[in-house]
Amino acid sequence: MRQFHQLVRFLLIVVMLTLSTSLPLAAQVSFFTPPTYYGSGTVFVGDFNGDGKPDILTNIGTMNLGKGDGTFTVGTTIVGGVLAVGDFNGDGKPDVLQQGTGTLLALLGNGDGTFQPPISTNSGASLSSVIADDLNGDGKADVLGIFYNNLVVYIGNGDGTFAAPTYVFDGGASSLAAADFNGDGNEDLAGTAGSAGLVVLLGNRDGTFQPAVFSYPNSYANFQPPISTAMANPISSLMDLNMLSRDLTYFLATETVPSGHLSVRAMDPASTFFPGLRT
């Protein structure tokens, strides 16, 4: 019995010591601070220095080289800002697109976080909603954007220069996205066209497109820019929501759709979009 009491006293001492040492620790609890990066505005994510770790480049030209642990070091700033990022010469290194006065400027990447002097191509336009994407399947990025509500395509020559512009839609486009909407392996274009709703142009894989197909939004006609994505598409995100096709999601703000609600349009095989489903 004596041994039993000694064991109980020992356990009580252990418990009291544990409580006395744990209370101060509770006041010292700290929380993980998310890593930050330098710069502001739209961000472009890519491996700019070829180390296999994602880097962040902002549209004001601030380069953040990733360490692979969620933190970054500041790289060489790109003077003149960034309009889009793509591989314009097919060497596997991300290049940068800038906009001059009536020109497109391609800065070919060196693969170490720096870039070569700009290569100029007359564009005759001041583009918005710019996307760099391979529209003709040659493995080199082309450029598409909006100029005075027209969709304009510049096919890349593979050396940082671009062919003369092709106007593929003049129906009042205000937003732009590119993806394979009908599953044929070709990049297609989609945009908003005011009260006409969503417009889709199916790609022919040679830089040209089939006639526009409209999906009327009925009462959901007034589109507002959504939360921006890494590639700065005014149309929010492109994802396979129903596992059948690439769909469009966008935020609406109209009298019929309260601000902040999400509307999703699923695409049918004819490359039109069904009426929006709201949350």
Side-chain angles (χ1 to χ4, degrees), residues 1-278:
M1 181 63 68
R2 182 179 180 182
Q3 292 179 342
F4 173 77
H5 289 301
Q6 289 177 341
L7 177 60
V8 171
R9 283 197 296 270
F10 175 77
L11 291 176
L12 287 174
I13 293 172
V14 170
V15 171
M16 293 177 65
L17 288 174
T18 302
L19 290 175
S20 63
T21 56
S22 63
L23 288 176
L25 291 177
Q28 301 175 14
V29 173
S30 61
F31 295 91
F32 172 72
T33 301
T36 58
Y37 65 89
Y38 295 91
S40 61
T42 303
V43 298
F44 303 90
V45 178
D47 183 10
F48 293 99
N49 61 350
D51 63 355
K53 303 167 185 175
D55 310 310
I56 293 178
L57 176 63
T58 71
N59 67 334
I60 63 174
T62 306
M63 176 67 74
N64 296 264
L65 300 176
K67 296 180 179 180
D69 60 358
T71 63
F72 302 87
T73 58
V74 179
T76 303
T77 299
I78 299 176
V79 179
V82 178
L83 190 65
V85 171
D87 184 6
F88 298 114
N89 61 347
D91 64 354
K93 304 171 185 176
D95 309 314
V96 164
L97 184 72
Q98 296 180 330
Q99 187 159 234
T101 303
T103 60
L104 291 175
L105 306 174
L107 287 69
L108 300 181
N110 294 317
D112 59 0
T114 65
F115 299 85
Q116 300 176 30
I119 301 172
S120 179
T121 300
N122 291 329
S123 64
S126 179
L127 301 177
S128 61
S129 299
V130 177
I131 297 175
D133 198 6
D134 182 9
L135 301 177
N136 60 352
D138 65 352
K140 305 174 182 68
D142 310 303
V143 173
L144 54 148
I146 296 177
F147 179 57
Y148 281 116
N149 296 325
N150 301 313
L151 297 185
V152 190
V153 170
Y154 298 83
I155 297 299
N157 295 320
D159 58 1
T161 65
F162 302 91
T166 301
Y167 289 77
V168 297
F169 178 72
D170 60 0
S174 59
S175 298
L176 181 61
D180 180 10
F181 293 112
N182 61 348
D184 64 355
N186 303 335
E187 286 295 274
D188 311 312
L189 303 184
T192 55
S195 59
L198 289 172
V199 57
V200 175
L201 291 86
L202 298 180
N204 296 318
R205 202 176 176 79
D206 59 1
T208 65
F209 298 86
Q210 299 176 31
V213 177
F214 292 89
S215 297
Y216 294 91
N218 300 321
S219 60
Y220 313 136
N222 299 318
F223 296 92
Q224 297 290 334
I227 299 173
S228 62
T229 63
M231 295 309 289
N233 278 336
I235 295 178
S236 177
S237 59
L238 299 174
M239 60 187 76
D240 191 356
L241 295 178
N242 59 5
M243 302 184 69
L244 295 175
S245 61
R246 298 293 295 275
D247 308 318
L248 295 178
T249 66
Y250 46 84
F251 284 98
L252 307 182
T254 67
E255 293 181 356
T256 53
V257 182
S259 177
H261 282 235
L262 176 67
S263 178
V264 178
R265 286 183 179 272
M267 189 176 66
D268 66 18
S271 296
T272 58
F273 289 83
F274 295 117
L277 304 176
R278 291 189 290 127

